[in-house]
Amino acid sequence: MDTIASLFSFITTPVSWVIVQFHTVFGAIFGPNTGWAWGLSIVSLVILIRICLIPLFVKQIKATRAMQTLQPEMKKIQERYKNDKQRQSEEMMKLYKESGTNPLSSCLPILAQSPFFFALYHVLNGIASGQTIGVINQSLLESARQAHIFGAPLAAKFKDSADTIHALNASVTDVRIVTVVMIVMMSASQFYTQRQLMTKNVDTTVKTPFMQQQKMLMYVFPIMFAVFGINFPVGVLIYWLTTNVWTMGQQMYVIHNNPTPGSKAQAAYLERLTKHVTQHGKVRRRSEKTIVKAIVAKGRDRNEFERKFINGLTKAGLAAQTDGTVVKSESPAQAQAEDGTTAAAATAARRQQPKRQTKAQRQSGTTKQPGEAEGPSLEKSDDEPQDVKPAAAKQPQKPGSGTRSKAQSGQRKGGPQRPKSPSKK
């Protein structure tokens, strides 16, 4: 570890200078030789570094989501070229280039923190060995060696011998208890951060190897922190515990306000957004407008939670616009359905559906549509003799057979009519 820390010695002076400046402020409040002054100086160093790394954290989020989106395509490439590793790598790089995704972007915050981490380790190691380093002179060195956090010196380690710990005016028991508690808290915070990401902010509609890798890291990282933690000074444990807590809070904020599409966090977010929009009739923040705009642009490609959100607005008489705003619908025709069509169009489509046929119509094979021209009338015409039997009138007539029909009915073509025969009783 000393060799690794020495590789980052070029940043030791800036890190030690920042710590000294914060120590000047907190020393005036708590006393220059107290553990609070030096401990809070380290915490402030972490906060300053993490604020500077926020742009990289945003890139990490975008890269992680882009990788989740590409997982189905990556899996297809792996299956297609499973016997040709070189071609598989070429297709992977081609996919990354076309999508504009860099797999290393998700590691940027950790890589950017590494120089500061090892520089701080180098500074604390110099304090433990009684050597001045960076801008820490002899007086500051003596002050730091007297600083204790709950009875444990900042430069003490779990594996230090009793003589080394006694030289720092501390007891072995205090150092072991404080370091174990910090290591447990550090590992627990790392586990919770990764578990929160896996259970709430992962698209559950896509099962990919990426999810299995994240699940494995959820258990591997805490174990790594526990193993390496026994070799870290108390000051470095403060640094790492602070950065883990910061990451956990930062991730909770992102999951709450900008969740991954298709995740449980998105379902909860859209439910809250629907409730607010239906109550107030508008979208509050710019981030919410961005999310609504993205949902409207998806159209038919919306997931289950996004369709539910659009339907909830429609039922409340609201309509989401392409610019991310929400307005009241003047008529049902302006309310969008979940598939992107209007309500009036959907109603008209339902009205144009053919009516259901009766059993007699299905058997006869004829269907009478609305507005269809009526067939030949079966009622008697005005010029037809009134004494014609109804049975004869109901018979269909063929073209040109009118004379024959009259003859068959007992009527003569011309002259006096034959009297009807009396009915026999």
Side-chain angles (χ1 to χ4, degrees):
M1 184 67 73
D2 293 336
T3 303
I4 298 177
S6 62
L7 295 176
F8 295 95
S9 58
F10 67 93
I11 203 174
T12 299
T13 301
V15 169
S16 61
W17 183 84
V18 173
I19 293 177
V20 169
Q21 301 307 312
F22 281 121
H23 174 262
T24 303
V25 176
F26 293 115
I29 301 173
F30 301 101
N33 299 330
T34 60
W36 287 104
W38 285 99
L40 291 176
S41 299
I42 296 174
V43 172
S44 301
L45 172 67
V46 176
I47 295 175
L48 178 62
I49 293 173
R50 295 308 301 266
I51 290 175
C52 296
L53 294 179
I54 286 178
L56 294 180
F57 180 76
V58 174
K59 287 186 177 181
Q60 180 190 24
I61 294 174
K62 292 181 178 180
T64 302
R65 292 185 179 178
M67 290 296 294
Q68 291 176 351
T69 305
L70 293 179
Q71 286 304 309
E73 298 297 328
M74 294 172 61
K75 188 175 181 181
K76 291 180 182 178
I77 293 175
Q78 291 174 352
E79 293 177 352
R80 185 180 303 173
Y81 305 105
K82 59 182 178 180
N83 296 326
D84 190 351
K85 298 298 182 182
Q86 183 178 357
R87 181 65 183 278
Q88 185 181 119
S89 301
E90 293 176 356
E91 293 296 328
M92 288 288 188
M93 296 303 296
K94 183 179 179 182
L95 179 63
Y96 294 148
K97 185 177 180 180
E98 292 176 353
S99 60
T101 304
N102 186 359
L104 298 179
S105 298
S106 59
C107 304
L108 286 178
I110 296 177
L111 295 177
Q113 283 187 86
S114 299
F116 301 97
F117 172 79
F118 289 111
L120 178 63
Y121 177 86
H122 198 48
V123 170
L124 295 174
N125 193 44
I127 293 174
S129 59
Q131 299 177 357
T132 58
I133 186 169
V135 299
I136 298 179
N137 52 30
Q138 190 64 35
S139 61
L140 291 173
L141 177 64
E142 294 297 330
S143 175
R145 288 175 66 87
Q146 295 178 17
H148 291 68
I149 301 292
F150 300 109
L154 291 176
K157 306 175 188 176
F158 179 86
K159 296 178 66 176
D160 282 346
S161 62
D163 296 337
T164 303
I165 295 176
H166 289 317
L168 297 172
N169 299 321
S171 64
V172 177
T173 304
D174 292 339
V175 171
R176 299 286 170 83
I177 292 175
V178 171
T179 52
V180 167
V181 170
M182 285 190 174
I183 290 172
V184 170
M185 293 175 64
M186 185 174 63
S187 301
S189 60
Q190 178 66 34
F191 176 80
Y192 181 79
T193 301
Q194 193 68 21
R195 186 177 183 275
Q196 181 181 230
L197 178 66
M198 290 297 302
T199 57
K200 295 183 179 181
N201 207 38
V202 173
D203 188 356
T204 56
T205 60
V206 181
K207 304 295 182 181
T208 61
F210 179 77
M211 296 177 61
Q212 298 298 327
Q213 295 174 3
Q214 293 294 318
K215 188 176 181 179
M216 181 181 66
L217 294 177
M218 181 172 63
Y219 297 99
V220 171
F221 275 158
I223 295 175
M224 290 176 59
F225 278 113
V227 171
F228 291 114
I230 59 177
N231 296 312
F232 291 159
V234 173
V236 174
L237 293 179
I238 294 173
Y239 175 93
W240 208 248
L241 176 61
T242 306
T243 193
N244 280 1
V245 173
W246 177 280
T247 302
M248 182 174 62
Q250 190 172 248
Q251 184 172 273
M252 289 176 65
Y253 176 82
V254 172
I255 291 175
H256 188 270
N257 294 281
N258 191 16
T260 301
S263 63
K264 294 181 180 179
Q266 189 197 31
Y269 176 82
L270 292 180
E271 185 177 353
R272 296 192 305 269
L273 184 58
T274 303
K275 184 177 179 180
H276 170 80
V277 173
T278 53
Q279 288 179 353
H280 301 278
K282 62 180 181 180
V283 180
R284 293 176 297 179
R285 297 189 293 267
R286 183 182 299 178
S287 60
E288 295 176 347
K289 290 183 180 180
T290 303
I291 292 176
V292 174
K293 181 179 178 180
I295 293 175
V296 173
K298 286 185 178 181
R300 296 180 181 271
D301 295 332
R302 300 173 189 141
N303 57 45
E304 177 185 357
F305 310 129
E306 293 166 346
R307 290 195 297 268
K308 186 177 179 180
F309 169 72
I310 295 295
N311 290 339
L313 296 181
T314 303
K315 292 178 181 179
L318 302 172
Q321 305 299 305
T322 56
D323 60 351
T325 59
V326 175
V327 298
K328 292 184 178 180
S329 300
E330 297 180 0
S331 63
Q334 296 180 357
Q336 280 192 337
E338 64 178 23
D339 57 353
T341 59
T342 60
T347 304
R350 288 195 298 267
R351 290 178 179 176
Q352 292 177 1
Q353 296 294 329
K355 293 184 178 180
R356 186 175 181 181
Q357 300 179 0
T358 62
K359 185 176 181 181
Q361 289 174 338
R362 290 196 300 269
Q363 291 177 352
S364 62
T366 59
T367 305
K368 186 176 180 181
Q369 299 293 342
E372 187 177 354
E374 297 286 344
S377 176
L378 299 180
E379 297 180 358
K380 293 184 295 184
S381 59
D382 295 337
D383 59 349
E384 191 175 2
Q386 299 297 326
D387 57 350
V388 177
K389 294 182 181 181
K394 293 181 180 180
Q395 294 179 358
Q397 295 183 3
K398 297 181 181 180
S401 60
T403 305
R404 184 179 179 183
S405 299
K406 291 182 179 180
Q408 289 178 353
S409 62
Q411 303 294 329
R412 292 185 178 182
K413 186 175 182 180
Q417 302 296 329
R418 181 184 299 172
K420 294 182 179 179
S421 59
S423 60
K424 297 180 182 181
K425 294 183 180 181

